[in-house]
Each structure stands twice: as structure tokens, then as C-alpha cells.
Amino acid sequence: MEQKITRAKHLSKEQRAEFYQSKYDYYKNFTRGLIIIATIAYITFFLTDCGIYGRFASETVLSRVIVLLPLLLYIYLSKKQHYYKTMVIAAYLMVHIIIWCTDWATYILPDREYAGEGMMVMNTIFVCAGFCAPYKYAIVAHMGLIVDILIANIFIRYDNVTMMIMFNLPCIIGVCIMHYFMENVYLEHYLVNERLQNLVVYDQLTGVYNRNQLKRISNSDTEELMIGDNIPITLLIVDLDFFKTVNDRFGHEGGDVVLKHTVDVIKKSVRSSDYIIRWGGEEFVIILAGCDVAMGIEVAEKIRVNIEASENGLCPITASIGVAAYQGGSYHSAVERADKALYRAKTGGRNKVVAYEE
């Protein structure tokens, strides 16, 4: 299925949002740096103003330096806000603000001969700003350059407004085509990276998470779970009974069939928001967010009953399950408590659910 995805529109709505967020995250520092450089470059055009006047161009000082205010706001927002839609719009708005200030300065200057060249420079800035943007956003924002020229012409009365538009249109079309292909290039990068990420955090046999997923949902320093604030969390350890007998009788391929079947049963017994982690061999850790121990016991019993009642096509199978509350701190403590409860279930006859007790 992944090989058929050649354009962002082939992704699901959720995948597309993740893709564009990833694209923004990848290019955000580049875009922010570009906006800062473009703003500074715009301010330095004050030296050109002085050259046109043959003196200190006091008339254009405000139109040149006022752009620093939105720049500071943009920099502040970029540090506080990371949602791609908000920041892409903010970046393009910043480019248009530079254009509007350019029009303001041009309106004041007595010589407007180089206004067309200024718009061509803006095309270059649009090229770079579009790297972090969805393709459709780039089209809309870039077409706004023509609108800027037409509105500015009402006040400035360009001598060559038609030529300005004719020069800019091919640039806009070329840039939009470039962004279309660049988006597809990044899509290839994104899909490859997703496959690599899946190899890192997913168990290749069963399709559920492996232990590496815990690193993604926990604090790297304290190993504290980061999957909710002030909500109860319960851990289950599910272990298939006498699984070695299954491997001895049906071989490892038969054991793989039983493991994959067991995972299907567990998935149907828990919520989609719960974490199913293959802990090793025939053991699975399940993290239930928003569940206290009593609810965890109910879920565990449901899993146990469903595994016992299910048909895997080879042999009957049962499971023992240990239940423990996550009490903060390192998740290893909760796993150890659940493992102790599992040991009691195993030594107590198997095919049962046991909750940890102090």
C-alpha cells in the first residue's frame, strides 16, 4: 500500500496532517532563518533610499524599520507555537508584510524605477518560505503577490504594472510547479522514515509495539510514563500458559500462528487507545490509561476468557495475567509488581488473573 502513495492526497486525513507537521518540523529552522534574513535585507534597502535622495532618507525610515515589530512577534510565536498551519500562515504573512512595507517605501520614494526588481526578489523569498508549507498553501500565498501588485498600483501608479505582472506570472507558475515536486520528494523521505520508525517500535511478527515504544511514551531521564495527567494507569502482563509445549508440538511456525492469533484476541478485548507491547516471547504488557486496578482486573478477565474461548486453528490455549497499578516514577516498578502478580497466577494454577497486593 505504501508503494502506491506518490502524492500527499493519497494519504488519509490523519496521515496527511502528520505528514505536513513533519514537513514543517523539518524545515522550520530554515524558514525562520530565511524570514529573519529577508527582514534584515529589506531594512538595508534604506541605504538605497539614501542613494536615491542623495542624503539621509528620513522620509522612509519608518517604512523600513517598522517591519521589526511583526518580525519580533513572528520569532516569539515560532518559539511558542509548533502547529504547522499556524506557523506556515505566519511565515507567509511575514513575507507579505515585507511586500506591503516595500510598497509603502516605494510610494514615498521619488524614483520607482526598481519596483519591479523588488517584486522579483520577493519571488525568491516565496520559494524558500514554501519549503515548510503544504503545496496548496504555497499556491494561495504566492498568487497573493499579484493581488499585492494590483492593490499597490492603486496608490503608486506604476508606469509598467502590466509588465510587472507579466514578469511575475511565469515565476509564480514555475515556483508552484517546483513546490509540487518538492512536496513529493519530501513525501518519499517521510514514508521511508515512517517505515524505519515502524521497524524500531513495532514487533515485526505480531504488529504490536515492542519495548522501544516505552521510550517514546516516557520521560527519558526518569522513565515516568507521559500518557496523561492525573489519571489512573494500570499495567497488565499477559503470559500464555505452556507455550513451550506449543512450539515443541507444532514448531516455531505454529507458535507464531498462536502468537498472532492471541494478539488479535487482545486487540478486540481492549480499547484502541491502550498500548499493547510484546515484552518478549509469549509475554505482552498492556498499558491501560484512565483505568484503576478494579477496571484493569475486569479488562484482564475479559482477555483471559476470550483467549481461552477462541479458536486458533491449532490447539487450545490459556493465559495467566498479572495486574498492577502504575503509581508514578519509573514504569519498571509497575512492571515488576505486575510480574510478581503474574508469578502468583502461574504458581496458583495458571489461567487466572491476579492483582498485585502489597
Side-chain angles (χ1 to χ4, degrees):
M1 180 178 179
E2 288 182 347
Q3 294 178 347
K4 297 180 180 180
I5 297 176
T6 56
R7 288 184 284 179
K9 71 176 185 179
H10 294 153
L11 299 170
S12 67
K13 184 177 179 181
E14 293 76 15
Q15 288 176 320
R16 196 156 53 245
E18 292 177 0
F19 165 65
Y20 284 128
Q21 184 64 52
S22 172
K23 186 183 179 188
Y24 167 75
D25 291 338
Y26 189 78
Y27 286 111
K28 65 180 179 181
N29 291 331
F30 170 78
T31 303
R32 182 169 57 230
L34 167 78
I35 296 297
I36 294 173
I37 292 172
T39 304
I40 294 173
Y42 166 76
I43 295 173
T44 61
F45 276 116
F46 177 71
L47 299 177
T48 305
D49 300 344
C50 294
I52 292 174
Y53 278 105
R55 57 176 173 79
F56 183 82
S58 58
E59 293 88 343
T60 62
V61 169
L62 181 59
S63 62
R64 294 298 184 186
V65 301
I66 198 171
V67 74
L68 288 172
L69 295 178
L71 175 65
L72 293 174
L73 180 60
Y74 170 78
I75 294 174
Y76 174 80
L77 186 64
S78 68
K79 293 181 178 181
K80 298 293 184 180
Q81 176 63 250
H82 304 287
Y83 184 43
Y84 79 94
K85 286 186 178 181
T86 302
M87 292 314 303
V88 166
I89 293 173
Y92 274 128
L93 180 60
M94 192 65 212
V95 175
H96 279 287
I97 288 174
I98 295 174
I99 293 175
W100 300 335
C101 290
T102 300
D103 293 336
W104 182 6
T106 303
Y107 175 77
I108 296 172
L109 290 170
D111 187 350
R112 301 165 184 173
E113 179 181 354
Y114 302 105
E117 287 78 354
M119 288 298 175
M120 297 296 285
V121 172
M122 289 299 108
N123 272 293
T124 304
I125 301 174
F126 270 114
V127 170
C128 300
F131 274 66
C132 71
Y135 168 63
K136 292 181 180 180
Y137 283 48
I139 294 177
V140 173
H142 213 128
M143 289 303 295
L145 181 58
I146 298 297
V147 177
D148 290 337
I149 293 173
L150 293 175
I151 293 176
N153 185 58
I154 298 174
F155 305 97
I156 299 175
R157 297 294 180 183
Y158 294 118
D159 296 331
N160 57 348
V161 64
T162 302
M163 293 303 298
M164 288 177 66
I165 294 175
M166 290 179 65
F167 273 118
N168 277 279
L169 272 177
C171 292
I172 292 172
I173 294 172
V175 169
C176 289
I177 293 174
M178 185 207 72
H179 279 310
Y180 172 78
F181 286 110
M182 286 298 297
E183 180 167 290
N184 292 333
V185 168
Y186 184 77
L187 178 61
E188 294 179 10
H189 163 81
Y190 172 78
L191 292 175
V192 170
N193 187 60
E194 282 293 294
R195 285 194 290 270
L196 291 175
Q197 289 293 326
N198 287 342
L199 289 173
V200 171
V201 300
Y202 284 97
D203 176 62
Q204 297 306 295
L205 174 64
T206 61
V208 296
Y209 293 118
N210 60 32
R211 292 191 183 200
N212 290 328
Q213 175 64 12
L214 282 165
K215 298 178 182 178
R216 301 179 69 180
I217 61 175
S218 63
N219 184 289
S220 58
D221 296 323
T222 64
E223 296 185 325
E224 180 181 0
L225 293 179
M226 310 291 287
I227 57 176
D229 296 326
N230 300 319
I231 61 172
I233 298 174
T234 299
L235 271 70
L236 315 181
I237 296 185
V238 180
D239 185 89
L240 298 184
D241 298 324
F242 303 110
F243 187 72
K244 184 179 182 300
T245 303
V246 177
N247 280 331
D248 292 342
R249 181 180 176 187
F250 299 100
H252 288 287
E253 289 186 359
D256 291 346
V257 170
V258 172
L259 284 174
K260 288 189 282 189
H261 171 80
T262 300
V263 165
D264 290 338
V265 173
I266 294 174
K267 285 181 177 178
K268 294 175 182 177
S269 305
V270 300
R271 303 164 300 180
S272 59
S273 59
D274 296 324
Y275 294 89
I276 305 172
I277 300 169
R278 188 180 181 190
W279 198 245
E282 68 276 17
E283 276 192 343
F284 298 89
V285 168
I286 304 173
I287 303 177
L288 308 173
C291 289
D292 57 20
V293 172
M295 296 172 64
I297 292 173
E298 291 181 7
V299 173
E301 184 63 22
K302 179 180 179 182
I303 293 172
R304 186 197 66 78
V305 170
N306 289 345
I307 290 176
E308 183 180 21
S310 66
E311 295 286 343
N312 57 47
L314 290 178
C315 61
I317 196 77
T318 61
S320 300
I321 305 176
V323 182
Y326 171 69
Q327 299 171 339
S330 173
Y331 60 81
H332 286 291
S333 298
V335 172
E336 289 175 3
R337 290 192 293 271
D339 194 49
K340 290 178 180 178
L342 174 64
Y343 177 78
R344 288 180 53 206
K346 288 288 190 181
T347 57
R350 292 182 169 82
N351 191 25
K352 60 174 59 180
V353 174
V354 175
Y356 176 80
E357 295 179 359
E358 296 292 345

